[in-house]
PDB file of all heavy atoms in Angstrom:
ATOM      1  N   ILE A 115       7.993  -1.440   7.728  1.00  0.00           N
ATOM      2  CA  ILE A 115       8.074  -1.619   9.210  1.00  0.00           C
ATOM      3  C   ILE A 115       9.520  -1.951   9.579  1.00  0.00           C
ATOM      4  O   ILE A 115       9.996  -1.401  10.571  1.00  0.00           O
ATOM      5  CB  ILE A 115       7.057  -2.666   9.670  1.00  0.00           C
ATOM      6  CG1 ILE A 115       5.636  -2.161   9.495  1.00  0.00           C
ATOM      7  CG2 ILE A 115       7.333  -3.028  11.132  1.00  0.00           C
ATOM      8  CD1 ILE A 115       4.584  -3.217   9.741  1.00  0.00           C
ATOM      9  N   MET A 116      10.134  -2.795   8.890  1.00  0.00           N
ATOM     10  CA  MET A 116      11.559  -3.181   9.212  1.00  0.00           C
ATOM     11  C   MET A 116      12.481  -2.037   8.999  1.00  0.00           C
ATOM     12  O   MET A 116      13.433  -1.873   9.759  1.00  0.00           O
ATOM     13  CB  MET A 116      11.975  -4.441   8.369  1.00  0.00           C
ATOM     14  CG  MET A 116      11.275  -5.684   8.794  1.00  0.00           C
ATOM     15  SD  MET A 116      11.612  -6.177  10.516  1.00  0.00           S
ATOM     16  CE  MET A 116       9.996  -5.955  11.222  1.00  0.00           C
ATOM     17  N   THR A 119      12.233   0.169  11.913  1.00  0.00           N
ATOM     18  CA  THR A 119      12.927  -0.471  13.036  1.00  0.00           C
ATOM     19  C   THR A 119      14.462  -0.216  12.934  1.00  0.00           C
ATOM     20  O   THR A 119      15.090   0.179  13.910  1.00  0.00           O
ATOM     21  CB  THR A 119      12.671  -2.014  13.046  1.00  0.00           C
ATOM     22  OG1 THR A 119      11.276  -2.217  13.076  1.00  0.00           O
ATOM     23  CG2 THR A 119      13.367  -2.703  14.236  1.00  0.00           C
ATOM     24  N   TYR A 128      18.761   2.101  21.785  1.00  0.00           N
ATOM     25  CA  TYR A 128      17.645   1.493  22.533  1.00  0.00           C
ATOM     26  C   TYR A 128      17.847   1.794  24.047  1.00  0.00           C
ATOM     27  O   TYR A 128      18.859   1.473  24.642  1.00  0.00           O
ATOM     28  CB  TYR A 128      17.636  -0.013  22.331  1.00  0.00           C
ATOM     29  CG  TYR A 128      16.681  -0.747  23.210  1.00  0.00           C
ATOM     30  CD1 TYR A 128      15.334  -0.501  23.189  1.00  0.00           C
ATOM     31  CD2 TYR A 128      17.208  -1.651  24.168  1.00  0.00           C
ATOM     32  CE1 TYR A 128      14.458  -1.135  23.995  1.00  0.00           C
ATOM     33  CE2 TYR A 128      16.326  -2.327  25.018  1.00  0.00           C
ATOM     34  CZ  TYR A 128      14.973  -2.072  24.939  1.00  0.00           C
ATOM     35  OH  TYR A 128      14.136  -2.697  25.848  1.00  0.00           O
ATOM     36  N   LEU A 134       6.297   4.585  24.686  1.00  0.00           N
ATOM     37  CA  LEU A 134       5.934   4.622  23.270  1.00  0.00           C
ATOM     38  C   LEU A 134       5.640   6.034  22.771  1.00  0.00           C
ATOM     39  O   LEU A 134       6.010   6.429  21.668  1.00  0.00           O
ATOM     40  CB  LEU A 134       4.689   3.745  23.028  1.00  0.00           C
ATOM     41  CG  LEU A 134       4.918   2.234  23.047  1.00  0.00           C
ATOM     42  CD1 LEU A 134       3.640   1.474  22.829  1.00  0.00           C
ATOM     43  CD2 LEU A 134       5.986   1.812  22.107  1.00  0.00           C
ATOM     44  N   TYR A 137       8.692   7.883  21.614  1.00  0.00           N
ATOM     45  CA  TYR A 137       9.204   7.566  20.259  1.00  0.00           C
ATOM     46  C   TYR A 137       8.492   8.488  19.272  1.00  0.00           C
ATOM     47  O   TYR A 137       9.115   9.032  18.383  1.00  0.00           O
ATOM     48  CB  TYR A 137       8.938   6.093  19.893  1.00  0.00           C
ATOM     49  CG  TYR A 137       9.779   5.094  20.576  1.00  0.00           C
ATOM     50  CD1 TYR A 137       9.245   4.191  21.457  1.00  0.00           C
ATOM     51  CD2 TYR A 137      11.127   5.061  20.341  1.00  0.00           C
ATOM     52  CE1 TYR A 137      10.075   3.276  22.115  1.00  0.00           C
ATOM     53  CE2 TYR A 137      11.960   4.162  20.986  1.00  0.00           C
ATOM     54  CZ  TYR A 137      11.441   3.282  21.895  1.00  0.00           C
ATOM     55  OH  TYR A 137      12.183   2.328  22.515  1.00  0.00           O
ATOM     56  N   LEU A 150       6.971   6.000  15.816  1.00  0.00           N
ATOM     57  CA  LEU A 150       6.282   5.115  16.695  1.00  0.00           C
ATOM     58  C   LEU A 150       6.328   3.649  16.130  1.00  0.00           C
ATOM     59  O   LEU A 150       6.432   2.694  16.903  1.00  0.00           O
ATOM     60  CB  LEU A 150       4.763   5.547  16.821  1.00  0.00           C
ATOM     61  CG  LEU A 150       3.868   4.679  17.730  1.00  0.00           C
ATOM     62  CD1 LEU A 150       4.414   4.742  19.183  1.00  0.00           C
ATOM     63  CD2 LEU A 150       2.477   5.176  17.657  1.00  0.00           C
ATOM     64  N   VAL A 151       6.221   3.526  14.859  1.00  0.00           N
ATOM     65  CA  VAL A 151       6.295   2.180  14.218  1.00  0.00           C
ATOM     66  C   VAL A 151       7.609   1.531  14.582  1.00  0.00           C
ATOM     67  O   VAL A 151       7.660   0.351  15.036  1.00  0.00           O
ATOM     68  CB  VAL A 151       6.043   2.253  12.734  1.00  0.00           C
ATOM     69  CG1 VAL A 151       6.324   0.919  12.023  1.00  0.00           C
ATOM     70  CG2 VAL A 151       4.679   2.790  12.385  1.00  0.00           C
ATOM     71  N   GLY A 152       8.724   2.208  14.371  1.00  0.00           N
ATOM     72  CA  GLY A 152      10.046   1.632  14.684  1.00  0.00           C
ATOM     73  C   GLY A 152      10.184   1.478  16.154  1.00  0.00           C
ATOM     74  O   GLY A 152      10.835   0.439  16.609  1.00  0.00           O
ATOM     75  N   GLY A 153       9.664   2.394  16.979  1.00  0.00           N
ATOM     76  CA  GLY A 153       9.744   2.284  18.419  1.00  0.00           C
ATOM     77  C   GLY A 153       9.014   1.054  18.917  1.00  0.00           C
ATOM     78  O   GLY A 153       9.517   0.339  19.850  1.00  0.00           O
ATOM     79  N   ILE A 154       7.893   0.741  18.416  1.00  0.00           N
ATOM     80  CA  ILE A 154       7.089  -0.457  18.825  1.00  0.00           C
ATOM     81  C   ILE A 154       7.873  -1.673  18.554  1.00  0.00           C
ATOM     82  O   ILE A 154       7.999  -2.577  19.343  1.00  0.00           O
ATOM     83  CB  ILE A 154       5.728  -0.450  18.166  1.00  0.00           C
ATOM     84  CG1 ILE A 154       4.812   0.621  18.711  1.00  0.00           C
ATOM     85  CG2 ILE A 154       5.061  -1.826  18.328  1.00  0.00           C
ATOM     86  CD1 ILE A 154       3.515   0.763  17.998  1.00  0.00           C
ATOM     87  N   MET A 155       8.458  -1.773  17.346  1.00  0.00           N
ATOM     88  CA  MET A 155       9.207  -2.982  16.965  1.00  0.00           C
ATOM     89  C   MET A 155      10.474  -3.102  17.859  1.00  0.00           C
ATOM     90  O   MET A 155      10.809  -4.190  18.269  1.00  0.00           O
ATOM     91  CB  MET A 155       9.623  -2.932  15.496  1.00  0.00           C
ATOM     92  CG  MET A 155       8.416  -3.022  14.584  1.00  0.00           C
ATOM     93  SD  MET A 155       7.384  -4.514  14.903  1.00  0.00           S
ATOM     94  CE  MET A 155       8.480  -5.819  14.478  1.00  0.00           C
ATOM     95  N   VAL A 156      11.150  -1.978  18.113  1.00  0.00           N
ATOM     96  CA  VAL A 156      12.296  -1.983  18.986  1.00  0.00           C
ATOM     97  C   VAL A 156      11.905  -2.464  20.412  1.00  0.00           C
ATOM     98  O   VAL A 156      12.589  -3.264  21.025  1.00  0.00           O
ATOM     99  CB  VAL A 156      13.038  -0.642  18.994  1.00  0.00           C
ATOM    100  CG1 VAL A 156      14.019  -0.496  20.110  1.00  0.00           C
ATOM    101  CG2 VAL A 156      13.696  -0.410  17.658  1.00  0.00           C
ATOM    102  N   ARG A 157      10.835  -1.906  20.874  1.00  0.00           N
ATOM    103  CA  ARG A 157      10.346  -2.271  22.252  1.00  0.00           C
ATOM    104  C   ARG A 157      10.005  -3.766  22.305  1.00  0.00           C
ATOM    105  O   ARG A 157      10.088  -4.428  23.405  1.00  0.00           O
ATOM    106  CB  ARG A 157       9.164  -1.497  22.678  1.00  0.00           C
ATOM    107  CG  ARG A 157       9.406  -0.055  23.012  1.00  0.00           C
ATOM    108  CD  ARG A 157       9.705   0.232  24.505  1.00  0.00           C
ATOM    109  NE  ARG A 157       8.867  -0.464  25.488  1.00  0.00           N
ATOM    110  CZ  ARG A 157       7.842   0.058  26.117  1.00  0.00           C
ATOM    111  NH1 ARG A 157       7.462   1.299  25.856  1.00  0.00           N
ATOM    112  NH2 ARG A 157       7.184  -0.625  27.019  1.00  0.00           N
ATOM    113  N   LEU A 158       9.493  -4.339  21.224  1.00  0.00           N
ATOM    114  CA  LEU A 158       9.149  -5.755  21.232  1.00  0.00           C
ATOM    115  C   LEU A 158      10.355  -6.643  21.035  1.00  0.00           C
ATOM    116  O   LEU A 158      10.464  -7.676  21.715  1.00  0.00           O
ATOM    117  CB  LEU A 158       8.139  -6.063  20.076  1.00  0.00           C
ATOM    118  CG  LEU A 158       6.738  -5.569  20.232  1.00  0.00           C
ATOM    119  CD1 LEU A 158       5.933  -5.739  18.937  1.00  0.00           C
ATOM    120  CD2 LEU A 158       6.042  -6.216  21.432  1.00  0.00           C
ATOM    121  N   LEU A 159      11.242  -6.267  20.173  1.00  0.00           N
ATOM    122  CA  LEU A 159      12.359  -7.191  19.780  1.00  0.00           C
ATOM    123  C   LEU A 159      13.590  -7.055  20.703  1.00  0.00           C
ATOM    124  O   LEU A 159      14.158  -8.080  21.061  1.00  0.00           O
ATOM    125  CB  LEU A 159      12.726  -6.956  18.346  1.00  0.00           C
ATOM    126  CG  LEU A 159      11.679  -7.352  17.279  1.00  0.00           C
ATOM    127  CD1 LEU A 159      12.167  -6.946  15.890  1.00  0.00           C
ATOM    128  CD2 LEU A 159      11.398  -8.826  17.361  1.00  0.00           C
ATOM    129  N   CYS A 160      14.006  -5.845  21.026  1.00  0.00           N
ATOM    130  CA  CYS A 160      15.251  -5.679  21.805  1.00  0.00           C
ATOM    131  C   CYS A 160      15.218  -6.439  23.143  1.00  0.00           C
ATOM    132  O   CYS A 160      16.198  -7.101  23.463  1.00  0.00           O
ATOM    133  CB  CYS A 160      15.574  -4.231  22.026  1.00  0.00           C
ATOM    134  SG  CYS A 160      16.342  -3.488  20.523  1.00  0.00           S
ATOM    135  N   PRO A 161      14.166  -6.328  23.954  1.00  0.00           N
ATOM    136  CA  PRO A 161      14.201  -7.080  25.224  1.00  0.00           C
ATOM    137  C   PRO A 161      14.273  -8.635  24.965  1.00  0.00           C
ATOM    138  O   PRO A 161      14.872  -9.371  25.764  1.00  0.00           O
ATOM    139  CB  PRO A 161      12.888  -6.733  25.906  1.00  0.00           C
ATOM    140  CG  PRO A 161      12.505  -5.437  25.282  1.00  0.00           C
ATOM    141  CD  PRO A 161      12.991  -5.479  23.859  1.00  0.00           C
ATOM    142  N   ALA A 162      13.613  -9.097  23.910  1.00  0.00           N
ATOM    143  CA  ALA A 162      13.642 -10.492  23.659  1.00  0.00           C
ATOM    144  C   ALA A 162      14.876 -11.062  23.054  1.00  0.00           C
ATOM    145  O   ALA A 162      15.355 -12.117  23.463  1.00  0.00           O
ATOM    146  CB  ALA A 162      12.394 -10.840  22.764  1.00  0.00           C
ATOM    147  N   ILE A 163      15.475 -10.332  22.081  1.00  0.00           N
ATOM    148  CA  ILE A 163      16.628 -10.881  21.370  1.00  0.00           C
ATOM    149  C   ILE A 163      17.899  -9.961  21.407  1.00  0.00           C
ATOM    150  O   ILE A 163      18.856 -10.263  20.760  1.00  0.00           O
ATOM    151  CB  ILE A 163      16.274 -11.324  19.921  1.00  0.00           C
ATOM    152  CG1 ILE A 163      15.772 -10.126  19.122  1.00  0.00           C
ATOM    153  CG2 ILE A 163      15.294 -12.416  19.913  1.00  0.00           C
ATOM    154  CD1 ILE A 163      15.416 -10.417  17.712  1.00  0.00           C
ATOM    155  N   GLY A 164      17.755  -8.862  22.118  1.00  0.00           N
ATOM    156  CA  GLY A 164      18.883  -7.912  22.148  1.00  0.00           C
ATOM    157  C   GLY A 164      18.978  -6.989  20.978  1.00  0.00           C
ATOM    158  O   GLY A 164      18.268  -7.198  19.921  1.00  0.00           O
ATOM    159  N   THR A 168      18.035  -7.762  17.043  1.00  0.00           N
ATOM    160  CA  THR A 168      17.008  -6.993  16.394  1.00  0.00           C
ATOM    161  C   THR A 168      17.496  -6.491  14.997  1.00  0.00           C
ATOM    162  O   THR A 168      16.772  -6.535  14.026  1.00  0.00           O
ATOM    163  CB  THR A 168      16.587  -5.765  17.243  1.00  0.00           C
ATOM    164  OG1 THR A 168      16.125  -6.300  18.510  1.00  0.00           O
ATOM    165  CG2 THR A 168      15.519  -4.978  16.605  1.00  0.00           C
TER     166      THR A 168
END
Side-chain angles (χ1 to χ4, degrees):
I115 293 170
M116 290 299 112
T119 305
Y128 169 65
L134 289 179
Y137 289 114
L150 181 63
V151 173
I154 289 172
M155 294 305 296
V156 166
R157 286 269 317 261
L158 290 173
L159 295 175
C160 281
I163 58 177
T168 303

